[in-house]
Amino acid sequence: MFISVFDIFKIGIGPSSSHTMGPMVAAARFLASLKEMHAEPERITVSLHGSLAFTGKGHATDRAVLLGLLGHEPATIDPDRAERDYETLKETKRLAIPGLATLSFDPESDLQFDYGPPLEGHSNGMVCRAYDGENRPILEETYFSVGGGFVLTAGELAALAEGEPVREEIPVPYPFKTAKQMLSMGKEHGLTVAQMKRENELLRHPDIDLDEAVDGIWNAMNSCIQRGLSQEGQLPGGLKVKRRARQIHEKLISEQGKNRPFDHKVMDWLAVYAMAVNEENAAGGRIVTAPTNGAAGVIPSVVRYYIDHCPDCSRAGIRTFLLVAAAIGGLIKTNASISGAEVGCQGEVGSASAMAAAGLCAALGGTNEQVENAAEIALEHHLGMTCDPVGGLVQVPCIERNALGAVKAVTAASLALRGDGTHFVPLDSCIETMRQTGIDMTDKYKETSQGGLAVNVVEC
C-alpha cells in the first residue's frame, strides 16, 4: 500500500493523533455514512474501548468525539468555534447536523468508556451506533484508530490483515514495500530515495505543486516550534507540568557569542525545539503528525538542526529531508506499526527518530545505502521502548523523550555518513524485530497507563 508524504505528515491538533485526531475523524466518518444511507436517526451513542477508554480522559478523546460529531475535522478546526459548539452541546444535549435531523446526544450517558477487554483487532477501538425514534438500531460501525491519525473500520482492518487493499491502489513508478526493494530500485534506476519518492508523489498527486505542498508541511512544523518557544505556564491535565522550552531557549540565546561554548550545546538546541513542539501538543495546539502527535517533535527539531547548524542547507534539502523521512515512515507503518497502542513508544519516537536520521542523512548528501543505515541505527536503539504516560497524558515522559529521539537521530545520521553504507543489521530486520517486540510486549506498556512510569510515579 502506497503511503503518501501527506498521509505521514498531517496537520491536526494535540494531544494525540491516535486518541484525539483519530476519534474525531471516526465520528465524522460515521455521520457521513448516515448521510449516504439517507437515514433519519433520533439518537447516537459512542463507546470507547481499550486504550481509548483507559487513557481517553488524559488525551481528550471524549472531547474529540464530540467535536467530530459536531462536524469539526483536525486539519481545519477553528479552536474558538469548536469551544463554543462544545459548550452548547453539553448544555442542550442536541446535535444539529447539516443533512440530518437534530439528534439527541447526552455526553454524560451517550459517550461511554468501556474499561473491559479491548475490541478484537486493535486496542484503540470505538463503536458508533445510531437509533430511530423507537430506539431501534439503524447503523452500527466499529472504528479503529491505528496511529498517526489513520482510521479504519473493522471491515477495512480485516481486509488489510488479509493483504487486501483498503482502497483502490493507483500504481506508482517505484512501489518499494521494503528497504531491500528501495535499495534495489534505486540502484537499478540510478535514483536516490528522494527522487523515487518524488516521482511516486507526483503520479499520485498530479494536481498539486509538490514543492509548495511539502514546504507547507515544514512551515506548519516550524510555526509549531515558534509558538512553543513563546509560551509559558503549566500544561493542562492536572500533573502541573511546567513548560520549559521558552526559558531554555532564552538562556541559549543569551549565551550566544560567549567565549568557549560547550561543544555539546548543540544538543540543547535539538532538545529545546523538540520540547517546544511537544509542549504545544500537550496543550492541544496545532501540530503535524510526524508520524504521530506523541512523536511530533523529533523531525521538526532535526530539520531546524539542519537549517541552523549545517553548512549549505537549502530549501531543496528540507524537501529531500521530508520526502525521505516519509518514505522510511511508510516502510515502518507498512511492515510494523507507528502506534504506541500497538507496539509501544518504539513505534512512535523510535519511528520518528529513524525517519529523522534518514532524512538528515539524505539532506547532507548521503547515499541510499547510508540513508538506510541511518534509519536502522536510530530505530535499533529504540527497540523495546514502552509507552507508559503518567496520568494518561502526553507529557511525562513524552516531551523529553522527543528531545532524546532527536539527539539519537542526528547521531545515527552522523555515524552512517562516516561509513560506506554497509552494516550488519538490515533496516527490514530491525522493523520486523520492532513488530515482534510489540506483539510480545504486555498491554500495560502500550499506551494504557497501567504499567511502568505511569504506576510508579505519584501524580501530584
Side-chain angles (χ1 to χ4, degrees):
M1 180 177 69
F2 174 75
I3 299 176
S4 170
V5 62
F6 306 111
D7 293 325
I8 291 291
F9 300 123
K10 294 189 288 291
I11 297 174
I13 60 169
S16 172
S17 49
S18 59
H19 288 64
T20 313
M21 290 172 59
M24 191 183 298
V25 169
R29 282 187 64 179
F30 186 66
L31 292 184
S33 296
L34 285 172
K35 293 176 184 179
E36 288 174 6
M37 65 185 294
H38 304 290
E40 296 184 0
E42 168 63 27
R43 173 171 164 257
I44 288 177
T45 66
V46 178
S47 58
L48 303 173
H49 302 262
S51 181
L52 292 187
F54 284 109
T55 64
K57 292 290 186 181
H59 289 105
T61 305
D62 47 353
R63 187 174 188 274
V65 170
L66 300 186
L67 292 178
L69 292 175
L70 288 164
H72 294 277
E73 297 181 8
T76 58
I77 191 169
D78 178 336
D80 293 332
R81 179 176 158 241
E83 187 61 30
R84 290 194 300 270
D85 290 350
Y86 179 65
E87 292 301 324
T88 299
L89 173 60
K90 289 197 299 182
E91 180 180 338
T92 65
K93 300 176 176 53
R94 305 290 288 176
L95 290 168
I97 304 167
L100 293 171
T102 299
L103 308 177
S104 169
F105 188 89
D106 185 346
E108 293 297 322
S109 59
D110 291 330
L111 178 60
Q112 302 145 9
F113 287 78
D114 188 325
Y115 298 107
L119 300 178
E120 186 176 349
H122 195 280
S123 58
N124 283 341
M126 59 185 280
V127 181
C128 299
R129 299 177 177 91
Y131 302 88
D132 65 13
E134 302 296 323
N135 206 34
R136 293 173 300 199
I138 296 174
L139 178 65
E140 177 178 317
E141 186 63 84
T142 299
Y143 298 95
F144 294 104
S145 182
V146 296
F150 291 89
V151 173
L152 298 173
T153 65
E156 290 169 343
L157 186 67
L160 199 63
E162 295 295 324
E164 301 174 12
V166 172
R167 55 181 180 267
E168 184 179 355
E169 283 290 306
I170 301 173
V172 293
Y174 306 102
F176 52 84
K177 294 183 179 179
T178 66
K180 182 177 181 180
Q181 290 176 350
M182 179 182 76
L183 294 177
S184 177
M185 288 181 188
K187 186 173 183 179
E188 178 184 354
H189 298 282
L191 297 172
T192 65
V193 174
Q195 289 169 332
M196 291 189 291
K197 183 63 173 171
R198 173 177 287 274
E199 290 302 313
N200 289 346
E201 295 288 347
L202 287 171
L203 184 67
R204 186 56 70 89
H205 304 288
D207 299 328
I208 67 171
D209 183 320
L210 184 62
D211 285 343
E212 183 179 325
V214 173
D215 289 348
I217 292 171
W218 166 240
N219 291 338
M221 288 179 172
N222 198 38
S223 293
C224 185
I225 291 176
Q226 294 306 119
R227 177 167 174 76
L229 293 176
S230 71
Q231 302 298 304
E232 55 187 356
Q234 284 186 359
L235 294 170
L239 293 184
K240 300 181 181 180
V241 173
K242 291 183 179 180
R243 287 183 183 251
R244 291 180 287 163
R246 177 174 175 170
Q247 182 183 29
I248 295 172
H249 187 239
E250 289 174 348
K251 286 183 178 180
L252 287 170
I253 291 174
S254 71
E255 293 168 1
Q256 285 182 327
K258 292 187 177 181
N259 294 331
R260 300 183 63 189
F262 289 116
D263 288 339
H264 65 242
K265 187 177 289 186
V266 68
M267 293 188 289
D268 296 340
W269 285 100
L270 276 165
V272 77
Y273 290 138
M275 291 171 66
V277 171
N278 283 85
E279 286 176 356
E280 271 301 285
N281 178 62
R286 193 167 186 258
I287 209 83
V288 180
T289 62
T292 66
N293 282 27
V298 177
I299 289 172
S301 173
V302 179
V303 175
R304 278 294 292 264
Y305 167 83
Y306 167 71
I307 294 170
D308 296 344
H309 299 280
C310 297
D312 302 321
C313 69
S314 66
R315 178 64 73 170
I318 297 173
R319 294 166 187 155
T320 291
F321 187 122
L322 293 176
L323 287 170
V324 170
I328 298 301
L331 294 179
I332 296 172
K333 178 168 174 55
T334 297
N335 297 293
S337 176
I338 58 171
S339 168
E342 286 186 332
V343 297
C345 199
Q346 59 175 351
E348 296 206 26
V349 170
S351 296
S353 187
M355 292 163 65
L360 178 62
C361 185
L364 295 177
T367 65
N368 289 351
E369 289 73 20
Q370 289 171 321
V371 165
E372 186 259 1
N373 188 16
E376 188 281 325
I377 294 171
L379 186 60
E380 179 181 335
H381 297 289
H382 284 88
L383 290 177
M385 182 175 282
T386 60
C387 182
D388 50 355
V390 177
L393 300 169
V394 193
Q395 297 179 17
V396 181
C398 320
I399 294 170
E400 288 181 353
R401 187 168 285 178
N402 275 256
L404 273 294
V407 170
K408 286 185 181 181
V410 172
T411 303
S414 182
L415 285 172
L417 287 167
R418 294 289 184 183
D420 61 4
T422 58
H423 56 107
F424 191 79
V425 179
L427 176 58
D428 288 331
S429 297
C430 193
I431 293 172
E432 173 59 16
T433 300
M434 184 180 79
R435 187 189 71 81
Q436 293 178 8
T437 303
I439 292 172
D440 292 339
M441 188 182 292
T442 178
D443 285 346
K444 69 181 182 180
Y445 295 119
K446 292 192 282 191
E447 212 169 8
T448 60
S449 290
Q450 294 182 302
L453 286 175
V455 299
N456 286 295
V457 175
V458 178
E459 298 175 36
C460 56

